[in-house]
Each structure stands twice: as structure tokens, then as C-alpha cells.
Amino acid sequence: MRMNSQTRIIVATAFALAAVDIAVRVATAPRNHSSNVVTAREFRLTDDRGNVRMTIKTDANGEPGMRMYDQTGTPRLQIDTWQNTPSMILMDREGQRRVYYGMENADGSGLLTMMGPDGRDLLRVDMTGDRPEMTLMNPDTGSMSLRPGHGQQTVVTGRNNYIQFSTR
């Protein structure tokens, strides 16, 4: 059986259409494998309503950070490395900073601060200097600090008052 030119064109077209159909089906078929790596500039976790509940991204300086949001969209937790300083910040219902913990120095010494609703420090545990210090602050009555000394503990109360405890 000999094919004429029209038959050859019809057969060639049928083969070409079958090849295109197979290629499209293979390209659009669901994949049964998953990757172990996700690469992105920003990741957003949303709830069932589409509200953003968490973001993970890098800032303009390329430093990574994560923020978690409550049901109203208010930021409540932030973990980041701002200026290469790892830190964690807890926020209140209005999104105001209430607790800060960060490693301030290259040696990993830390600073923990708790703030009141007005943003003023109420408690500070400072491990960034030569000697650790814990300070309780009251805007109305002053502050009280505990600073370990050489062989003694010093409690500073008010502006110029202090009590020393011997550890010997």
C-alpha cells in the first residue's frame, strides 16, 4: 500500500499531535516526589482565612528575621539578627515591645529587659559589661540594682543609697 502525499501529511500530523499531547501530559502531571529544600526571599504562613500569622524573611541588609502575629494581625513575637545581634522580642496586645533579650557582644553576653505599658524599662539583667547587674526600676520610687563585687554583693537603692552584703 502506497501513501499519497495527502495521506503522508495526515499521518505526520497525527504523529505530531500525539507527541505534543504526550509532552503536555508529562509536563503537567502531578509529581509524586517532594524536595527537601525550599528557597525563597520571604515565607508567609497564613491561617484558614488567609490572614498572615508568621513571616520569615531577610531585611534590606540581608539579615534574617521571623515575626509571629496574633489573630488580629498584631505582631507578638520577633526573632532576628539585627546588626548581627541575635535577639528575641515579645510584644503586648498593641504590638508594643514588652520583653527584649539579645546577645549584645561577640562573646555572647546578653541583655534581658522587661518594659511597662509606657515603654519604660522595669527590669534589666545586663551581662554585657565586666560585671553582671540586675536592676528593678520604678518610675515613681527609683530603682534597685544588684551588682556582684569582689567578695561582696552590692544592692543600690534609690539614687545614692546602697547596702553591701559580704559573701565571705
Side-chain angles (χ1 to χ4, degrees), residues 12-122:
T13 302
F15 276 112
L17 288 174
V20 168
D21 180 58
I22 291 169
V24 167
R25 288 175 190 260
V26 168
T28 60
R31 307 267 190 256
N32 290 333
H33 70 282
S34 64
S35 174
N36 292 331
V37 176
V38 175
T39 302
R41 299 231 345 115
E42 180 174 351
F43 174 76
R44 293 181 187 182
L45 178 66
T46 59
D47 61 18
D48 291 339
R49 296 184 198 139
N51 299 316
V52 175
R53 299 301 303 273
M54 181 176 72
T55 58
I56 300 173
K57 63 182 180 177
T58 55
D59 65 14
N61 296 323
E63 299 200 37
M66 178 182 77
R67 267 193 168 185
M68 296 179 84
Y69 303 86
D70 65 15
Q71 292 176 344
T72 66
T74 303
R76 300 299 299 270
L77 169 69
Q78 178 175 320
I79 299 173
D80 61 29
T81 57
W82 188 71
Q83 295 183 344
N84 288 322
T85 300
S87 64
M88 180 175 69
I89 301 168
L90 302 175
M91 280 87 79
D92 64 15
R93 291 182 184 159
E94 284 76 42
Q96 298 300 312
R97 180 188 291 200
R98 295 299 294 272
V99 176
Y100 169 84
Y101 174 72
M103 291 180 162
E104 297 291 329
N105 295 328
D107 66 358
S109 57
L111 176 68
L112 171 66
T113 307
M114 295 182 163
M115 298 80 144
D118 60 359
R120 291 193 279 185
D121 293 353
L122 297 177

